[in-house]
Amino acid sequence: MRETVAFAAVTSTEHPNGQAWQPIADRGGPMGLYDTARREVVPFTPGRIVSMYTCGITPYDATHLGHAATYLTYDVVQRRLRDLGHETRCVRNVTDVDDSILGKAREIGVHYLDLAARETARFDDDMVALEMLPSYSEPRATGAIADIRGFVGEALDKGHAYEAGGSVYFDVSTYADFGKISGYSTDEMLPLAAEHGGFPDDPNKRNPLDFVLWQQSTPDEPSWDSKWGPGRPGWHIECSALALRELGTTIDLHGGGSDLIFPHHECEAAQSQAVTGQPFVRHWMHQAMVRMDGEKMSKSLGNLVFVSELRKEFDTRAIRLGVIAHHYRDAWEWHDEIMPTAAARLERWIAAGEGEAGLAETRAALDNDLDTPGALAAIDGAVEAGVGGVSAAAALVGVRL
C-alpha cells in the first residue's frame, strides 16, 4: 500500500504567471503528484487554467493498453482538477511523420498519410468509447512544418545547433542541464539513445548524445524545403514546436509513458529551454509500462492487447476500471482475470445506484499521487457498507453509472 502524503491546506494559489485563483471550497486538495524531474511527490498547485501536454500516438497500429493507461491517467488527473474548479487544456499530438510510421507505410505499401489517417480514426474511436475527456487540441506534426523550421533557425542563431552532413543537430554541450529530468548518467543515456533511434555512432555528430532537429530524407520519404536543404523534422522537435505553439512557453504538466523520459522528454526540454530561455515544464508526470509475457507492451515486440478487441467482449467502463486498478507509477502485467474482475466491480457499483457515498474518500485518494487503486477501494467500501449510491465518486474516475 502506498504511503499517504499530507500537504498543508491551500485556500489560494498564486500561479507563477501571476494569476491568482481560489479552489472550490470543501472539495479537498491540493493534489500531490510525483514529479519525475524532482523525484518526489510535491503539491501540484497550478492557476485556474491548467496547461497540459501528453505525447500522443504515432499512428501506424491500433490502440493498445499501454496507450490507454497513459491517456486514462491524464484523463483522471483532469477530472479531479476540474472537480476542484480548474479549467484544463490538455493537448495530445499526433506524430504523423517519423521513422516508425514511414517504415510501416513502406512495409505495407501505402502512403504514410493514408496510414496515419486510418489509424488515427481507430484511435479516436477507442478514446470516445472509453469516454475520455476531449483534448483541447490534437495537432499533427505535418501541420507544424513552418513552426519547426522557425524553431531550428532559432536554435542555430542562438548557438545551440549546428549543420553537418545535410542535417541539423542540437549541441547538448551548450545546455548545462541535459540529463536533469531523467537523472541518467552519460553511460546510461547512450544505450537508450541507440535503442530509440538516436544513432550515437552518427559520424556527423560532435557528441554521441547530440540529436537531430532536421534530417535529410531518403528518396522514398516525404521532404520539405528548408534553408538547410530538403528534409524532414527530427522526432523530438515535433513536440516542442507543437507544445509551444498550442500552449505557450511554459506548460504546467507534461508527460507520457515512462519510456519517453529519455531520450524524448530530455531532448524536448533541452531544445525548448535553450531556444526560449524560459522553463519549459513545471511538472513532469510519467506512466509506468504495462507488461505482457514479462516484457513491456509495445508495437515493436508485438505483445499487445488492443482496446478495440476488448471492446468486443467487455463494457468499456470495465476496461477503464481494469486499467486504473493499477497505480500509474507501478508497472503491471496483463493477465486474463483483470477484465472479469473489473466487470464484476462495475456491476456492483451500478447496483448501488445514484448518490455521493465515498466521494470524500475518493477525492482524498486521488490527491495522494493519483492513487486510483485507493479511489476504487474507497468506492468499493461505500458499496459494501450500503451507505448510498456511488455515482458521483465513480464519475470522478470517469465511470458513468
Side-chain angles (χ1 to χ4, degrees):
M1 180 177 293
R2 288 184 176 273
E3 199 173 294
T4 298
V5 181
F7 300 113
V10 174
T11 57
S12 179
T13 299
E14 183 66 26
H15 194 259
N17 66 12
Q19 173 194 34
W21 177 78
Q22 286 190 328
I24 295 175
D26 302 323
R27 292 193 180 179
M31 295 188 78
L33 293 175
Y34 185 85
D35 181 1
T36 304
R38 284 177 276 185
R39 287 173 264 295
E40 62 179 333
V41 177
V42 297
F44 182 61
T45 55
R48 185 184 70 82
I49 297 173
V50 188
S51 58
M52 306 168 70
Y53 187 96
T54 179
C55 287
I57 59 165
T58 302
Y60 64 92
D61 208 338
T63 317
H64 60 72
L65 282 186
H67 295 136
T70 296
Y71 305 129
L72 282 168
T73 288
Y74 270 77
D75 183 82
V76 177
V77 168
Q78 288 189 81
R79 289 176 187 275
R80 176 57 177 140
L81 289 170
R82 292 184 181 191
D83 180 50
L84 287 167
H86 294 277
E87 176 187 338
T88 62
R89 298 179 178 179
C90 188
V91 173
R92 185 179 65 220
N93 71 299
V94 177
T95 304
D96 59 352
V97 57
D98 87 332
D99 292 347
S100 298
I101 193 169
L102 295 176
K104 182 66 172 183
R106 186 182 299 118
E107 175 189 329
I108 63 177
V110 301
H111 193 280
Y112 76 102
L113 289 179
D114 290 336
L115 175 60
R118 184 184 75 197
E119 296 304 336
T120 300
R122 292 174 66 184
F123 172 78
D124 289 344
D125 187 55
D126 284 337
M127 295 299 100
V128 170
L130 290 171
E131 299 189 55
M132 299 283 193
L133 294 170
S135 297
Y136 179 65
S137 67
E138 295 183 359
R140 297 171 181 245
T142 53
I145 299 300
D147 304 275
I148 291 167
R149 286 184 297 214
F151 190 105
V152 175
E154 285 194 63
L156 284 164
D157 291 344
K158 293 182 177 181
H160 293 291
Y162 58 91
E163 294 180 64
S167 295
V168 180
Y169 298 88
F170 184 86
D171 185 348
V172 298
S173 71
T174 68
Y175 184 71
D177 287 339
F178 192 75
K180 290 292 180 67
I181 296 172
S182 64
Y184 297 154
S185 67
T186 297
D187 287 344
E188 291 172 308
M189 288 190 279
L190 283 170
L192 287 171
E195 179 184 343
H196 292 280
F199 302 107
D201 296 330
D202 183 346
N204 293 312
K205 291 184 176 183
R206 296 175 182 174
N207 182 308
L209 289 175
D210 290 350
F211 54 91
V212 69
L213 300 177
W214 188 263
Q215 63 194 76
Q216 283 187 314
S217 299
T218 62
D220 64 341
E221 292 179 344
S223 179
W224 290 267
D225 291 333
S226 78
K227 295 178 182 178
W228 321 286
R232 60 183 178 90
W235 173 27
H236 313 304
I237 199 171
E238 296 178 348
C239 279
S240 284
L242 290 170
L244 293 170
R245 187 186 75 186
E246 299 291 315
L247 295 171
T249 303
T250 304
I251 301 165
D252 291 317
L253 186 66
H254 185 2
S258 60
D259 56 340
L260 297 179
I261 295 172
F262 188 89
H264 187 49
H265 289 157
E266 196 77 68
C267 296
E268 190 186 344
Q271 64 196 7
S272 299
Q273 292 179 181
V275 166
T276 68
Q278 299 295 319
F280 179 48
V281 172
R282 295 190 176 98
H283 195 116
W284 290 95
M285 183 181 187
H286 290 93
Q287 167 73 41
M289 295 291 98
V290 180
R291 299 182 179 277
M292 184 176 181
D293 303 327
E295 300 282 353
K296 77 169 185 177
M297 201 173 284
S298 69
K299 294 176 181 177
S300 59
L301 294 174
N303 57 339
L304 303 174
V305 176
F306 292 112
V307 172
S308 56
E309 290 302 311
L310 289 178
R311 287 171 55 191
K312 295 175 181 177
E313 186 175 355
F314 296 100
D315 189 313
T316 53
R317 294 172 295 178
I319 299 173
R320 176 183 280 262
L321 286 174
V323 173
I324 66 173
H326 306 86
H327 192 273
Y328 78 94
R329 283 202 290 126
D330 294 336
W332 53 278
E333 185 90 7
W334 168 261
H335 58 81
D336 290 340
E337 291 305 309
I338 288 175
M339 288 311 306
T341 299
R345 170 177 263 156
L346 177 62
E347 288 180 6
R348 293 193 300 272
W349 289 12
I350 291 172
E354 298 287 323
E356 296 189 357
L359 184 55
E361 296 82 0
T362 301
R363 284 170 168 156
L366 296 180
D367 289 345
N368 184 33
D369 194 22
L370 204 73
D371 181 8
T372 52
L376 303 192
I379 300 172
D380 286 342
V383 170
E384 291 166 9
V387 293
V390 294
S391 58
L396 200 55
V397 296
V399 176
R400 173 186 45 81
L401 300 182

